[in-house]
Amino acid sequence: MRINFRLNGETITTEIEDSMRALDLLREDLGLTGTKEGCGEGECGACTIIVDGNAVNSCLMLAAELDGTSVETIEGLTGSDGKMHPVQRSFIDKGAVQCGFCIPGMIMSAKSLLDKNDSPSKEEIEAALEGNLCRCTGYVRIIEAVEDAASIIREDRK
Amino acid sequence: MTPLAEEKIREFNVVKKNTDKVDGKALVSGKPVYTDDFDARDELQVKLVRSPHAHATIKSIDASEALKIPGVVAVLTSDDLPRVCFTRAGQGYPEPSPYDTFVLDRRVRYVGEPVAIVAAETEKAATAAVKAVKVEYELLKAVLSMDDAMKPSAPTIHPEEEASGIFDAERNIAAHFEMEIGETEKILKDCDVTISRTYHANTQLHAMLEPHVSRSYLDPNNRLVIVSSTQVPFHARRILSRIFNIPISSIRVIKPRIGGGFGGKQALHTEQYVAAVTLATRRPARLIFTREEVSMATNIRHEMQYEVKIGASKDGKIRAISMDGVSNTGAYGEHALTTLMVSGSKTLPLYNKVEAVRFSGNVVYTNLPPAGAFRGYGAPQGLFALDCIVDELATELGLDPLTVKEMNSIREGESSPIFKLMGEGREGVEQIVRSCKLQECIDRGKELIGWEKRSKGMLPDSRRAKGYGCAIAMQGSGIAKIDMGAATIKMNEDGSFNLLIGATDIGTGSDTALAQIAAEVLHVTVDKIIVYSSDTDFTPFDTGAYASSTTYVSGNAVKAAAEKVRMQILQGASEILEEPLPNLELTLAEVHSKETGKTISYSDICTQLFYTFNQRQIGATGSFVGEESPIPFMATFAEVEVDMETGQIDLKKLVSVADCGTPINPVQALGQLEGGTMQGIGWALFENVMYSQTGRMLTTDFFTYKVPTRMDYGELICELAESYEPTGPYGAKSIAEIGIDSPIPAIANALYDATGIRLREAPFKSEKLLFEILSREV
């Protein structure tokens, strides 16, 4: 079948198999390998993308469901001028990245939260990231990074 | 003798700074960096047919239906492969693990063991083919617990003639070790108080987020190239050479970015299968495991049980300790002997003032998934037993447990005869503890948890009970006289340097820390160091990322290489400036004459040496093997609340303070400590591996195997108590493993403090605790 959707601001029209997962469309057909597969069962969050503003597990979503939506992936966060999104910058600054495999999904969940709420409490951040497992860090610096990004975003809006 | 030099703690230009991760921007931008982010033209997709039985011989395999499926290219069975016995364990050579494994065998020894290799044009065809391969088994009696392994009625799991290095195959004992210093039993009898307890640590899954994955292809000269998510590229090359009888020179192993390892990628899990397909078909091949395969068919942690005896005088002086253990290595003996030895050698020296100490154990085969390397490598299992029995001894003596731990534990300048007696798989090395801030770790931890002001007992809701516990821990920094790391540095004409290292950054940040060490020696900023790790064609040898070795072993190698390059830069400058060497010094990316004030930049030196003057390449290789394995130390404190009506355990706060010498990159070092601690908390409270009655692992996904999220535990505070290790690069020792050692005993001790109930089997499940609460009330 043929689907149309917005991907990181660009219009995509593509032929897909009905049973294809959104994750495979991104990684295999479109070559956007930033979105990771950790479990394939919607438990780890490594494949998180943003669809119409909401963070979703792309391994549980059919590519067909993307038709007519607006999709953001990790590749869309860095501006054409190379400027990183505040969440990306804060993850580096706060030492929140170890192996990095969970990070694209973690960053997309954080961005989805901050797009809706630029002043989240620590508890709101923890809840928003609960679906994203990290096996390396202990989460301490990840939470700090999201708090830091929120303050930068608030500052930028002033 | 190197001095014990606290005064050496000092400021540096680059080291001890929170430098950004050298690959940080790529990682947060989702750039293709991991093995599965690349693809090759014309690549075959590989899947494995796996055994549904825990123990069976294979009577026949019929692949005819599978081969009829469109797109299926090959089905390989044991008949198609060389019958070479090896160990998948990535260890120094010769390996201390038994050779008890074939790529494919005619016998299966656990549920999930590969039986046949399928290669197809698409994953879909490969998956269909896996289901279509018909395997006829003859079932054998299975050994599904380590208690049963050595019983006379138990079947022999490794009867194969080709195996070597098994301690006693007939009795299913993969490895055995024993040692004694002094007359332990005699002194135990003579003590004012002697107690004996048994502790049991269950297994744990690595659960790294990136599944095991590798790809293979033949390069234009028909050399076998393997791209793999491995912690041990050089060991992988050597082992593949042995299995397939092809020269090491005809194999290249490339390690791209690794998505977490924790020991789970310190063995060959995928490489041999893609290599078999590429060698058979001459085509590129890719194999990536599903989460279920990662969980049930790679390696897990060694389950261990220790019977411990400890004796002390009334004043709390520990006089003798005896530990007698059994460890479950599952179907294969990867890391069997060494994890057993580490559970003693990286715990017992903590209590170095004893008059006698004994340690012994058997590592047994069972028909469960093979155990292997896992962060801590036996030390956490041993420490659970050792720290808790010291805690129980203190209670028995009516003394404060922390006081007993403090008065009996090792300090700077001291030693233990165990260092010499117990190495990894063989004798260790004599060493004194040149740097130890254990007391500082304890003192700071006490402050952070509020140890002096703590109040235990029932909370005002008269439902929840509060308690506090502590544990002290040690680890090592590499395997002395075995682990070797090397680094090559070459200079470019813009004043930058390529740092080529065999060391394998598996997420620890070692690429960054090693770049910082090079930058410090060479007087440049970190951005002038271009790191490349690890590729067996282009980087020098390194044993790999394990045994807490990279900062210490590979770091010292980088420092050695950089110091040679530094001399060459000075020499070049001396020739160009026509100034004697003693006049010259390095300033930031420049050489400066103290006498004449003349200055020349690195880029000018290298440009002249490349193109116009005394032409040559500045570059050097350095290597390092530890003469000793400096010990990081740690103190951990836990605060728990237990709901006495449900048994629910709430970890309110956990504090770990560690001494890792100079933290080369403090934020990264803390990250290692926090991450290790979190894995320890998970193992203590949530991570519970379960099997069916036929030995199939049931907890193979993140729904059934609970990896903690941030919501699952309370406050986590990690800090570093800085010391200076005279043998380390700029005073550094290790930090990657130690964090996982102590949460189990600290939480066990806190649970006892809260409830008066001593749990001696980890993980500590709420239902188990409730059962104990209820049975006490009866």
Side-chain angles (χ1 to χ4, degrees):
Chain A
M1 65 181 288
R2 175 182 293 263
I3 58 169
N4 281 290
F5 64 104
R6 301 276 292 170
L7 177 60
N8 300 326
E10 285 179 35
T11 303
I12 302 280
T13 302
T14 185
E15 277 298 326
I16 56 157
E17 279 185 46
D18 292 3
S19 62
M20 181 180 240
R21 302 180 303 172
L23 174 63
D24 298 324
L25 172 66
L26 293 170
R27 283 187 64 89
E28 307 298 328
D29 285 16
L30 301 176
L32 296 181
T33 55
T35 306
K36 304 300 177 198
E37 177 163 8
C39 72
E41 296 180 328
E43 288 292 337
C44 77
C47 65
T48 304
I49 58 171
I50 298 177
V51 178
D52 289 339
N54 298 314
V56 299
N57 288 318
S58 62
C59 75
L60 292 184
M61 199 171 186
L62 288 175
E65 294 176 81
L66 297 181
D67 191 32
T69 66
S70 177
V71 177
E72 294 166 72
T73 69
I74 189 75
E75 288 88 353
L77 256 59
T78 308
S80 51
D81 56 353
K83 190 167 183 279
M84 286 188 283
H85 187 275
V87 182
Q88 292 173 304
R89 188 64 249 169
S90 296
F91 267 65
I92 296 177
D93 288 346
K94 295 293 168 184
V97 183
Q98 287 190 26
C99 88
F101 199 80
C102 72
I103 294 299
M106 197 72 80
I107 286 176
M108 296 315 283
S109 286
K111 178 178 187 288
S112 169
L113 168 72
L114 297 179
D115 283 349
K116 294 171 190 166
N117 175 5
D118 67 11
S119 310
S121 65
K122 200 170 215 147
E123 291 70 26
E124 284 172 319
I125 296 170
E126 289 175 5
L129 300 183
E130 199 193 0
N132 294 82
L133 295 180
C134 170
R135 189 58 162 165
C136 292
T137 64
Y139 303 101
V140 176
R141 282 160 215 289
I142 289 175
I143 305 295
E144 266 180 36
V146 180
E147 287 178 320
D148 184 59
S151 71
I152 292 168
I153 289 169
R154 287 196 302 272
E155 204 54 41
D156 287 350
R157 282 190 186 151
K158 271 181 193 167
Chain B
M1 184 64 64
T2 318
L4 299 169
E6 277 181 69
E7 62 279 6
K8 278 198 174 176
I9 293 179
R10 62 179 175 95
E11 285 309 312
F12 300 93
N13 295 320
V14 184
V15 156
K16 230 169 97 178
K17 304 260 191 292
N18 292 331
T19 305
D20 283 358
K21 240 173 136 69
V22 293
D23 47 1
K25 194 168 177 188
L27 292 172
V28 300
S29 308
K31 297 280 188 223
V33 291
Y34 304 94
T35 302
D36 203 44
D37 295 346
F38 310 101
D39 48 21
R41 193 181 289 208
D42 201 27
E43 189 176 54
L44 291 172
Q45 304 302 317
V46 179
K47 296 257 176 205
L48 301 175
V49 179
R50 295 181 179 278
S51 168
H53 305 296
H55 201 189
T57 52
I58 296 165
K59 288 172 75 177
S60 66
I61 298 179
D62 177 3
S64 54
E65 291 301 316
L67 287 165
K68 283 182 199 158
I69 295 170
V72 174
V73 172
V75 177
L76 304 177
T77 70
S78 62
D79 291 342
D80 304 306
L81 293 164
R83 188 160 174 83
V84 175
C85 215
F86 69 105
T87 177
R88 299 185 301 178
Q91 296 179 290
Y93 179 81
E95 301 96 331
S97 296
Y99 282 10
D100 58 4
T101 308
F102 301 93
V103 176
L104 296 175
D105 196 3
R106 299 181 202 110
R107 175 189 286 252
V108 288
R109 298 177 177 82
Y110 69 97
V111 176
E113 174 149 18
V115 171
I117 308 166
V118 167
E121 302 290 350
T122 63
E123 268 193 281
K124 210 169 172 180
T127 304
V130 163
K131 288 182 188 146
V133 174
K134 293 192 192 88
V135 187
E136 202 182 343
Y137 296 93
E138 183 166 322
L139 300 192
L140 301 170
K141 191 177 161 191
V143 178
L144 297 179
S145 82
M146 63 180 183
D147 292 344
D148 293 338
M150 291 193 300
K151 285 182 181 163
S153 58
T156 296
I157 295 170
H158 281 279
E160 66 277 8
E161 282 172 5
E162 299 91 334
S164 62
I166 298 175
F167 179 74
D168 184 347
E170 208 171 306
R171 294 173 62 213
N172 291 325
I173 304 175
H176 172 88
F177 180 79
E178 58 183 65
M179 72 95 200
E180 181 163 22
I181 297 162
E183 294 179 81
T184 315
E185 283 303 320
K186 196 173 147 200
I187 291 169
L188 284 170
K189 283 203 184 83
D190 187 48
C191 287
D192 296 335
V193 176
T194 299
I195 60 169
S196 171
R197 300 283 187 271
T198 300
Y199 303 87
H200 185 160
N202 281 295
T203 187
Q204 184 184 23
L205 306 184
H206 301 82
M208 73 293 277
L209 265 282
E210 181 203 31
H212 299 75
V213 53
S214 62
R215 331 180 80 113
S216 62
Y217 57 90
L218 296 174
D219 78 3
N221 299 315
N222 276 325
R223 295 171 74 234
L224 177 67
V225 183
I226 305 279
V227 182
S228 174
S229 178
T230 179
Q231 297 175 225
V232 286
F234 287 89
H235 294 330
R237 182 179 67 167
R238 190 193 68 241
I239 295 167
L240 290 169
S241 161
R242 174 184 166 79
I243 296 171
F244 295 104
N245 193 28
I246 43 181
I248 280 180
S249 61
S250 296
I251 304 173
R252 174 182 176 193
V253 177
I254 301 168
K255 168 222 72 87
R257 184 73 204 175
I258 307 299
F262 318 117
K265 292 171 180 169
Q266 197 196 327
L268 271 71
H269 292 297
T270 52
E271 297 87 342
Q272 62 271 48
Y273 306 112
V274 288
V277 168
T278 292
L279 292 171
T281 63
R282 318 305 285 175
R283 286 182 59 182
R286 162 187 178 260
L287 171 58
I288 182 164
F289 280 177
T290 62
R291 181 52 53 183
E292 183 182 35
E293 291 177 304
V294 171
S295 299
M296 73 190 285
T298 58
N299 279 143
I300 60 176
R301 189 185 286 284
H302 286 85
E303 170 194 16
M304 291 188 195
Q305 180 168 302
Y306 278 99
E307 191 188 323
V308 198
K309 290 180 205 161
I310 192 165
S313 53
K314 274 183 287 194
D315 59 0
K317 186 182 180 312
I318 299 172
R319 297 184 57 201
I321 303 171
S322 166
M323 288 179 75
D324 188 32
V326 57
S327 168
N328 182 356
T329 195
Y332 294 97
E334 287 134 8
H335 305 274
L337 174 62
T338 37
T339 47
L340 174 75
M341 291 180 77
V342 165
S343 69
S345 67
K346 300 226 165 91
T347 55
L348 285 167
L350 279 168
Y351 299 102
N352 65 330
K353 296 166 183 67
V354 293
E355 294 160 50
V357 57
R358 205 184 72 81
F359 179 88
S360 71
N362 287 311
V363 189
V364 298
Y365 287 117
T366 60
N367 293 113
L368 293 170
F374 195 150
R375 194 181 215 163
Y377 204 74
Q381 296 96 312
L383 191 73
F384 174 28
L386 182 61
D387 192 275
C388 286
I389 201 160
V390 174
D391 223 81
E392 295 204 50
L393 172 76
T395 308
E396 200 74 25
L397 290 164
L399 298 171
D400 172 53
L402 183 54
T403 307
V404 173
K405 289 172 194 178
E406 283 179 288
M407 66 187 275
N408 287 287
S409 49
I410 195 164
R411 291 294 180 274
E412 205 158 87
E414 297 178 0
S415 186
S416 163
I418 293 172
F419 296 143
K420 172 80 176 156
L421 280 173
M422 295 177 77
E424 286 198 23
R426 64 181 199 188
E427 205 174 60
V429 294
E430 273 178 44
Q431 66 179 66
I432 61 161
V433 176
R434 300 181 195 278
S435 58
C436 172
K437 293 286 173 278
L438 179 57
Q439 190 60 51
E440 286 77 357
C441 293
I442 293 171
D443 294 343
R444 179 65 180 146
K446 282 167 77 173
E447 272 175 46
L448 290 167
I449 199 86
W451 188 256
E452 300 297 350
K453 292 173 290 184
R454 72 191 187 280
S455 61
K456 65 169 201 166
M458 294 305 287
L459 294 172
D461 65 4
S462 59
R463 176 168 170 161
R464 283 173 301 143
K466 188 185 244 330
Y468 293 82
C470 67
I472 57 172
M474 61 174 281
Q475 195 64 241
S477 301
I479 310 172
K481 294 190 189 290
I482 293 180
D483 285 347
M484 193 276 276
T488 298
I489 298 174
K490 65 183 185 70
M491 192 177 194
N492 302 312
E493 68 263 51
D494 64 348
S496 67
F497 300 86
N498 294 100
L499 171 62
L500 310 174
I501 39 178
T504 306
D505 190 336
I506 57 174
T508 55
S510 62
D511 281 355
T512 307
L514 296 176
Q516 286 178 262
I517 291 170
E520 185 72 36
V521 177
L522 295 168
H523 273 269
V524 290
T525 50
V526 178
D527 60 312
K528 297 290 183 218
I529 309 290
I530 309 147
V531 184
Y532 184 59
S533 73
S534 5
D535 176 332
T536 58
D537 267 13
F538 292 105
T539 63
F541 180 83
D542 192 291
T543 39
Y546 59 87
S548 288
S549 61
T550 305
T551 300
Y552 183 72
V553 176
S554 311
N556 267 320
V558 168
K559 191 156 179 272
E563 278 164 359
K564 289 183 193 174
V565 168
R566 186 177 194 270
M567 271 316 296
Q568 293 179 24
I569 293 169
L570 285 166
Q571 182 60 44
S574 162
E575 292 164 25
I576 296 166
L577 297 177
E578 297 177 331
E579 291 245 5
L581 270 176
N583 288 4
L584 300 178
E585 62 180 4
L586 301 187
T587 55
L588 185 65
E590 287 177 340
V591 179
H592 170 80
S593 167
K594 289 172 281 188
E595 292 300 314
T596 63
K598 279 195 263 178
T599 293
I600 182 166
S601 71
Y602 281 11
S603 68
D604 283 350
I605 296 169
C606 192
T607 303
Q608 292 200 37
L609 293 180
F610 271 9
Y611 299 108
T612 55
F613 178 78
N614 291 351
Q615 283 162 275
R616 61 181 185 267
Q617 168 74 56
I618 285 182
T621 295
S623 55
F624 181 82
V625 60
E627 289 298 313
E628 41 195 75
S629 178
I631 300 167
F633 293 92
M634 183 173 65
T636 296
F637 294 82
E639 176 191 339
V640 299
E641 284 177 17
V642 176
D643 184 328
M644 298 301 279
E645 290 180 23
T646 63
Q648 195 195 343
I649 299 165
D650 190 0
L651 179 62
K652 300 298 287 183
K653 186 170 178 177
L654 193 126
V655 171
S656 277
V657 183
D659 157 18
C660 66
T662 303
I664 299 292
N665 184 316
V667 80
Q668 284 189 178
L670 275 169
Q672 286 297 298
L673 182 58
E674 287 159 0
T677 307
M678 187 265 286
Q679 287 179 350
I681 292 170
W683 187 17
L685 296 176
F686 312 110
E687 298 181 29
N688 189 29
V689 174
M690 292 191 289
Y691 298 99
S692 74
Q693 287 183 341
T694 56
R696 171 182 286 275
M697 188 187 286
L698 299 171
T699 48
T700 58
D701 56 31
F702 291 127
F703 190 69
T704 50
Y705 186 79
K706 172 81 180 143
V707 167
T709 73
R710 188 64 196 95
M711 310 286 274
D712 294 313
Y713 53 93
E715 199 178 351
L716 174 63
I717 302 178
C718 291
E719 283 193 6
L720 302 173
E722 195 186 324
S723 68
Y724 192 94
E725 169 53 42
T727 69
Y730 295 113
K733 45 189 181 178
S734 88
I735 189 68
E737 291 186 277
I738 192 167
I740 203 168
D741 291 346
S742 56
I744 286 187
I747 291 169
N749 297 335
L751 290 172
Y752 174 79
D753 190 51
T755 64
I757 290 163
R758 179 55 72 169
L759 296 180
R760 299 191 188 89
E761 183 178 356
F764 311 122
K765 289 179 266 185
S766 288
E767 57 266 36
K768 206 155 55 181
L769 184 54
L770 179 64
F771 179 80
E772 294 291 335
I773 293 167
L774 294 173
S775 46
R776 186 176 59 176
E777 284 168 359
V778 170

